[in-house]
Amino acid sequence: MTDQFSKKAEAWSARFSEPVSELVKRYTASVDFDKRLAPYDIEGSLAHADMLHAVGLLSEDDLLAISNGMARIRGEIEQGSFRWSLDLEDVHLNIEKRLTDLVGDAGKRLHTARSRNDQVATDIRLWLRDTIDTIGGLLIQLQRALLDLAERNADTIMPGFTHLQVAQPVVFGHHLMAYVEMFARDTERFADCRKRVNRLPLGAAALAGTSYPIDRERVARTLGFDGVCENSLDAVSDRDFAIEFCACASLVMTHVSRLSEELVLWMSPRVGFIDLADRFCTGSSIMPQKKNPDVPELARGKTGRVNGHLVALLTLMKGQPLAYNKDNQEDKEPLFDTADTVIETLRIFADMMGGVQVRADRMRAAAAEGFSTATDLADYLVRKGLPFRDAHEAVARAVRVAADRGVDLPALDLAQLRAFSDRIDEDVYACLTLEGSVAARRHVGGTAPEQVRAAIARARARLA
Ligand code: ARG
């Protein structure tokens, strides 16, 4: 019996009278995708072994053998010489089997007071914690790139839109700062999610805990967890922390997707507000003139798959009775793909946004075309004593006349403007200009260049 594990393929096969079919083996195995958890599996095993030793369940010699064996396995995996076997089902059994081959009985003692159920939950949490830290760093890089671009464009006037119709002038820096706000909230959301990820499941064993005198707090400290999962059934079965991560990922991708949509629009020759560096675009195999914004388009498309992964995990969880079920093995591919997609997307966007070429003349011309200072004229009349609704009507009439003549409001002379209200004087032109309009919005959150600069300074301080 003691030698069964090294002779038979499966760690649990002693219970069975026939081997699993090839098809079932492939169907149930996860090693092809969960092997990326290997560094975390080793880290978790070392912390577990250290604890077993500390409470007297593992000898000094066995602990040493396990650490040496694991160091060797780590090296083999890094060099690519480790032989992964489908027969050994998953990352955990592959590593444990190799350890046993290398160090004998010490390797077999490692699984004392542990199950793959609490082991895998621990591995995912360790991996996810690292992933969240990587994403956090990239979100800061992206915000810095946006802040630099916003700073250079704190005076660049563009049309602000509602319903994709020219609404009121804003400065481009203000528009960019809207995205800085979104990505700052995303950063907070991931940091908050991390708190619930960073708890230790080990010790829950299969589901009920273990009869050995384990020290979970010690393992938690060794692995840098903030504490232990309080309930063993919950510890092995719930993946809400992974779902929460996917929800954070969906939101950050949604923000990236909205930005992408705008980049595509702004880069369209019809609009021509910006240009993206050539290295983020591709040409057409048939139309020689084309320069297509592939990166933003793909990011917009990939948002769909990240949203899909969120729904996949929610659906995976919803029908599961307590405690662990094999369904949970299906958590990994959506989770890994979500992380890879978000990380690659943020990395590219941090680089791409730093190199956006702004065509200020085109932005300005568009802002000067759509009667974007009509609200300013109405506000002017209100300041001169007209009720807002009457002012709105007077300006609407002025816009109609200007539109008929094919000019913008500032092109009407004083006599023409006074036809709509005799409260209008020469000073009206100061607020009908684009500069006057943006400068007037000088409260916190407004588009006045001085306010945009202040917002940039606050955001920089937050990131410092
Ligand atoms: N590979 C499994 C997973 O990813 C962990 C093993 C648990 N298996 C089991 N038979 N209890 O969830």
Side-chain angles (χ1 to χ4, degrees):
M1 186 66 202
T2 46
D3 288 329
Q4 286 279 358
F5 186 64
S6 43
K7 286 209 199 94
K8 290 228 183 182
E10 293 88 0
W12 37 258
S13 58
R15 155 83 177 73
F16 291 78
S17 57
E18 60 173 2
V20 306
S21 80
E22 269 308 307
L23 196 57
V24 170
K25 190 192 288 174
R26 265 185 281 127
Y27 195 72
T28 54
S30 54
V31 64
D32 281 346
F33 51 84
D34 68 15
K35 63 182 171 205
R36 74 188 273 172
L37 293 174
Y40 304 97
D41 197 65
I42 292 173
E43 192 186 347
S45 286
L46 290 174
H48 181 67
D50 160 80
M51 181 278 289
L52 290 179
H53 171 63
V55 301
L57 290 169
L58 193 71
S59 72
E60 183 88 37
D61 286 352
D62 282 348
L63 177 62
L64 197 64
I66 288 170
S67 348
N68 290 338
M70 285 301 197
R72 168 122 179 231
I73 291 171
R74 207 192 289 268
E76 289 173 357
I77 292 171
E78 278 166 13
Q79 286 154 25
S81 62
F82 189 91
R83 288 189 40 231
W84 296 102
S85 162
L86 205 65
D87 289 334
L88 291 164
E89 205 176 315
D90 56 25
V91 61
H92 323 293
L93 293 179
N94 268 270
I95 291 177
E96 190 182 325
K97 172 71 164 58
R98 178 72 185 132
L99 182 69
T100 304
D101 287 349
L102 287 170
V103 306
D105 281 355
K108 293 186 201 168
R109 292 201 176 96
L110 174 62
H111 212 54
T112 311
R114 184 176 79 167
S115 150
R116 278 184 295 156
N117 296 354
D118 57 348
Q119 190 177 355
V120 70
T122 304
D123 292 4
I124 301 173
R125 285 170 185 264
L126 286 171
W127 168 83
L128 195 51
R129 187 177 70 187
D130 263 9
T131 299
I132 289 172
D133 292 344
T134 302
I135 290 174
L138 290 170
L139 276 168
I140 287 172
Q141 280 181 33
L142 175 55
Q143 287 177 70
R144 290 222 166 97
L146 288 168
L147 284 168
D148 291 345
L149 189 60
E151 191 136 57
R152 292 198 292 278
N153 289 283
D155 297 293
T156 308
I157 290 178
M158 71 181 290
F161 297 90
T162 58
H163 315 272
L164 214 51
Q165 313 276 326
V166 170
Q168 292 173 345
V170 295
V171 293
F172 187 44
H174 190 55
H175 194 111
L176 292 166
M177 287 304 289
Y179 286 100
V180 170
E181 289 294 309
M182 294 177 228
F183 293 127
R185 287 195 298 276
D186 288 320
T187 308
E188 274 180 34
R189 251 187 294 274
F190 278 110
D192 198 60
C193 169
R194 189 188 193 281
K195 293 182 205 159
R196 284 171 291 281
V197 168
N198 204 28
R199 303 234 147 221
L200 175 77
L202 270 183
L207 77 163
T210 172
S211 55
Y212 298 100
I214 56 171
D215 182 352
R216 299 186 69 204
E217 297 294 344
R218 182 185 176 98
V219 182
R221 270 197 310 277
T222 309
L223 292 173
F225 282 112
D226 295 329
V228 302
C229 298
E230 294 272 344
N231 179 287
S232 64
L233 298 163
D234 177 50
V236 292
S237 71
D238 208 340
R239 296 289 182 269
D240 59 354
F241 62 90
I243 295 172
E244 199 178 334
F245 169 80
C246 285
C248 298
S250 274
L251 277 169
V252 72
M253 286 301 291
T254 297
H255 293 149
V256 168
S257 186
R258 295 189 72 189
L259 176 57
S260 296
E261 170 64 14
E262 300 211 287
L263 292 172
V264 171
L265 188 70
W266 293 340
M267 209 182 122
S268 156
R270 278 298 177 99
V271 178
F273 285 0
I274 61 151
D275 204 5
L276 294 178
D278 284 357
R279 67 181 185 283
F280 301 105
C281 303
T282 65
S284 156
S285 56
I286 177 168
M287 298 167 283
Q289 84 282 11
K290 293 295 287 291
K291 178 176 167 186
N292 298 327
D294 289 39
V295 165
E297 288 171 35
L298 268 174
R300 198 173 56 189
K302 284 173 188 289
T303 303
R305 89 194 231 181
V306 168
N307 289 350
H309 293 326
L310 169 62
V311 174
L313 290 197
L314 284 165
T315 312
L316 177 71
M317 204 75 247
K318 71 177 272 296
Q320 286 193 51
L322 294 181
Y324 178 85
N325 304 280
K326 190 79 166 186
D327 311 40
N328 277 343
Q329 183 164 290
E330 287 289 307
D331 65 352
K332 288 171 204 60
E333 288 159 294
L335 197 51
F336 292 159
D337 189 65
T338 297
D340 292 344
T341 306
V342 169
I343 287 171
E344 277 173 27
T345 302
L346 291 178
R347 201 164 269 153
I348 294 180
F349 268 68
D351 186 12
M352 189 172 69
M353 294 313 293
V356 167
Q357 294 289 317
V358 177
R359 297 174 63 187
D361 54 331
R362 299 283 307 230
M363 288 186 176
R364 192 187 166 82
E369 263 169 20
F371 307 102
S372 62
T373 55
T375 316
D376 296 271
L377 180 55
D379 290 345
Y380 170 90
L381 289 172
V382 167
R383 282 197 299 277
K384 299 268 171 165
L386 208 60
F388 183 79
R389 281 293 158 223
D390 294 341
H392 186 281
E393 196 187 319
V395 176
R397 279 188 278 120
V399 165
R400 206 153 89 200
V401 168
D404 286 347
R405 294 185 190 170
V407 296
D408 201 3
L409 290 174
L412 299 176
D413 66 27
L414 193 57
Q416 289 167 326
L417 284 172
R418 285 178 65 87
F420 307 108
S421 167
D422 56 9
R423 292 171 202 246
I424 297 178
D425 290 310
E426 191 61 44
D427 61 350
V428 74
Y429 290 103
C431 61
L432 276 186
T433 61
L434 298 172
E435 279 73 15
S437 172
V438 294
R441 287 156 171 81
R442 55 169 159 268
H443 50 80
V444 171
T447 192
E450 73 196 57
Q451 284 298 334
V452 173
R453 289 199 174 85
I456 293 169
R458 286 195 301 272
R460 283 203 199 283
R462 251 180 356 225
L463 292 181

